[in-house]
Amino acid sequence: MQIQSKLPNVGTTIFTVMSQLAVEYNAINLGQGFPDFMMSEELVSLVNAAMQKGNNQYVHMNGLPILRERLAAKCNKLYGSNIHPESEITITPGGTYAIYTALTTVLQPGDEVIVFEPAYDSYIPNIEINGAKAIAISLQFPSYQIPWDEVKSKVNSKTRMIMINSPHNPTGAVLSENDIAQLRAVVKDTNIIILSDEVYEHLIFDNITHQSILRFPDLLERSFVCFSFGKTYHCTGWKLGYCIAPKELMQEFRKVHQFNCFTCDSPKQFGLAEYLQNENAYNNLGAAIQQKRDYFRSLMKETSFKCIPSHGSYFECYSYQGLSDLNDKDFAIHLTKNFGVATIPVSAFYKNAEDNKVIRFCFAKKEETLNIAAEKLSSFIK
Ligand code: PMP
Ligand code: GLN
């Protein structure tokens, strides 16, 4: 039987490819972004207790009300927003789903969406499956800043959305106040909708303030903002997140959501609602993960790889310029097979596989894991 592919140019995601290779070659997996340390045992107990108490049936299609209330209170306190839990928050099965649903809610065939590359690998396929066109703009290498003049030159009457992601995967770049001012200038007097991927909101380092779109009412009124519990609570396998958007946009989002997912895992929502009362759990996260970044960086100093500093996320990128002539994908495969460390080649985040000889490491790992990886990497000399 034959069908016409909706995504003819798409293969298997690089995260799965590299994780599989890591298993096959028994390599340390610093590729796919997930922690190898235990999540909060308190949160695990809260979810267990919710199941024991019988909270195992469908909750409200938009998410457990008390969870949405506590999320709204958290955001309003952290970002000075005025989010209404009933009409402006929807719990989703992960951040990726929230992003896909927001794009599907808005896009019509022929629309253009500005995305910055390197871009998280789901963005462009999510745009294209909706019949829209991704207008990819490369972040400036190696600072990975947004070239705003180029953005201005690419905006036209077909531009329907702009996607931003801060802290940024894979580079760890973060948006500044100036970036927000530039974004404001670009969207002013247009119908452009912003999709802000903020799954790493708490994983931000060096005393930098997260420039959440939730801080800016004039931008939030035209935005979908996507979050992930998996990243905040080190439980990526739970696949739970949420989307925040103004009422009118959220109404349309929920029409798409209700016939795709309808409602998410209930015991975890009960557990998360309780655990959200513990403000330290998210407020201390940046410092804890920064320690891991700093530790990893100190180990990498002893290797031949050159650091491209990360200011947020689970990731730091390193250049191997001058160390090998292989392209980054082949280099990542070579490192996995022959040196026992799996990474992600950054060209996988570009539509045309732009290769700057950069690979991404996930440092959200136990020190012992990072030690072994660094030891293996230090044996890599041209
Ligand atoms: N956006 C980015 C940039 C990510 O790195 C991730 C991590 N997977 C997601 C969205 C989605 O997270 P989730 O696992 O909650 O779908
Ligand atoms: N977000 C994670 C990463 O960037 C992985 C998610 C996935 O495997 N799709 O590595």
Side-chain angles (χ1 to χ4, degrees):
M1 301 298 287
Q2 293 235 313
I3 55 167
Q4 189 182 345
S5 173
K6 290 199 169 178
L7 294 170
N9 303 317
V10 165
T12 303
T13 165
I14 191 71
F15 306 120
T16 298
V17 170
M18 294 310 296
S19 281
Q20 238 165 354
L21 203 66
V23 171
E24 209 176 308
Y25 285 87
N26 200 20
I28 304 284
N29 190 353
L30 303 190
Q32 196 176 22
F34 61 88
D36 72 344
F37 44 86
M38 185 58 183
M39 63 174 294
S40 155
E41 299 202 12
E42 186 190 338
L43 179 50
V44 171
S45 303
L46 288 168
V47 174
N48 279 333
M51 288 173 126
Q52 300 284 355
K53 279 186 219 152
N55 291 316
N56 300 302
Q57 310 309 328
Y58 294 136
V59 297
H60 193 281
M61 62 167 259
N62 300 328
L64 184 70
I66 184 71
L67 175 59
R68 284 184 280 140
E69 276 164 36
R70 292 197 175 136
L71 283 172
K74 171 194 169 188
C75 292
N76 295 344
K77 182 167 175 188
L78 278 180
Y79 300 125
S81 51
N82 185 24
I83 308 299
H84 296 283
E86 270 172 38
S87 55
E88 297 180 322
I89 303 184
T90 301
I91 307 298
T92 62
T96 312
Y97 173 101
I99 293 164
Y100 179 80
T101 305
L103 290 166
T104 301
T105 300
V106 175
L107 293 176
Q108 301 286 341
D111 283 347
E112 293 187 357
V113 182
I114 292 181
V115 285
F116 299 107
E117 289 188 323
Y120 185 57
D121 76 340
S122 72
Y123 293 175
I124 292 180
N126 282 187
I127 292 165
E128 291 179 345
I129 205 165
N130 281 295
K133 188 172 173 199
I135 305 298
I137 296 179
S138 286
L139 297 172
Q140 287 156 340
F141 180 75
S143 66
Y144 294 111
Q145 298 299 298
I146 295 178
W148 286 106
D149 285 341
E150 191 179 342
V151 177
K152 285 175 200 150
S153 76
K154 294 273 166 71
V155 169
N156 63 53
S157 59
K158 290 194 203 143
T159 311
R160 196 69 193 89
M161 299 180 85
I162 295 183
M163 296 180 75
I164 55 172
N165 170 216
S166 181
H168 183 251
N169 180 5
T171 68
V174 293
L175 294 183
S176 66
E177 272 180 80
N178 177 54
D179 288 310
I180 297 293
Q182 298 278 358
L183 176 64
R184 177 174 288 121
V186 167
V187 298
K188 194 164 180 282
D189 301 325
T190 72
N191 282 328
I192 296 173
I193 301 282
I194 297 166
L195 194 158
S196 184
D197 178 350
E198 302 189 12
V199 300
Y200 298 107
E201 65 175 325
H202 298 298
L203 300 168
I204 186 158
F205 318 136
D206 307 318
N207 293 317
I208 297 172
T209 300
H210 172 49
Q211 298 296 337
S212 174
I213 286 296
L214 302 185
R215 292 182 188 279
F216 310 104
D218 63 319
L219 296 178
L220 180 56
E221 69 181 19
R222 56 167 79 233
S223 298
F224 291 90
V225 190
C226 301
F227 300 91
S228 169
F229 290 113
K231 302 294 170 179
T232 298
Y233 293 123
H234 304 315
C235 50
T236 60
W238 283 17
K239 293 300 294 185
L240 268 183
Y242 52 103
C243 182
I244 295 181
K247 186 176 170 189
E248 293 71 23
L249 296 181
M250 189 49 87
Q251 261 169 4
E252 291 300 315
F253 180 101
R254 287 172 174 176
K255 289 185 192 171
V256 180
H257 167 69
Q258 71 180 342
F259 294 134
N260 192 17
C261 167
F262 178 60
T263 180
C264 303
D265 184 308
S266 49
K268 293 194 182 108
Q269 292 190 60
F270 280 93
L272 284 163
E274 277 305 297
Y275 197 60
L276 263 178
Q277 302 193 97
N278 177 354
E279 294 182 16
N280 287 338
Y282 51 83
N283 285 333
N284 296 342
L285 192 60
I289 298 294
Q290 177 174 337
Q291 242 178 19
K292 296 217 171 276
R293 180 206 61 179
D294 292 346
Y295 185 69
F296 180 63
R297 212 183 255 181
S298 71
L299 296 172
M300 288 298 283
K301 274 215 174 95
E302 306 304 315
T303 71
S304 311
F305 296 86
K306 190 161 166 272
C307 177
I308 301 176
S310 161
H311 301 291
S313 79
Y314 277 159
F315 311 112
E316 190 150 68
C317 288
Y318 284 78
S319 165
Y320 64 92
Q321 186 82 47
L323 298 179
S324 166
D325 294 330
L326 292 175
N327 69 40
D328 66 354
K329 184 155 188 216
D330 289 343
F331 184 71
I333 292 169
H334 173 63
L335 269 190
T336 311
K337 287 185 177 172
N338 301 315
F339 290 84
V341 181
T343 60
I344 301 291
V346 169
S347 66
F349 298 78
Y350 289 87
K351 197 172 162 59
N352 67 357
E354 185 174 315
D355 177 17
N356 291 307
K357 298 202 177 299
V358 175
I359 49 178
R360 186 196 81 174
F361 293 84
C362 174
F363 52 71
K365 305 288 174 189
K366 296 179 203 151
E367 284 197 359
E368 63 199 75
T369 309
L370 298 176
N371 288 339
I372 301 169
E375 199 184 310
K376 290 174 182 286
L377 290 169
S378 61
S379 67
F380 183 88
I381 301 161
K382 191 183 177 183

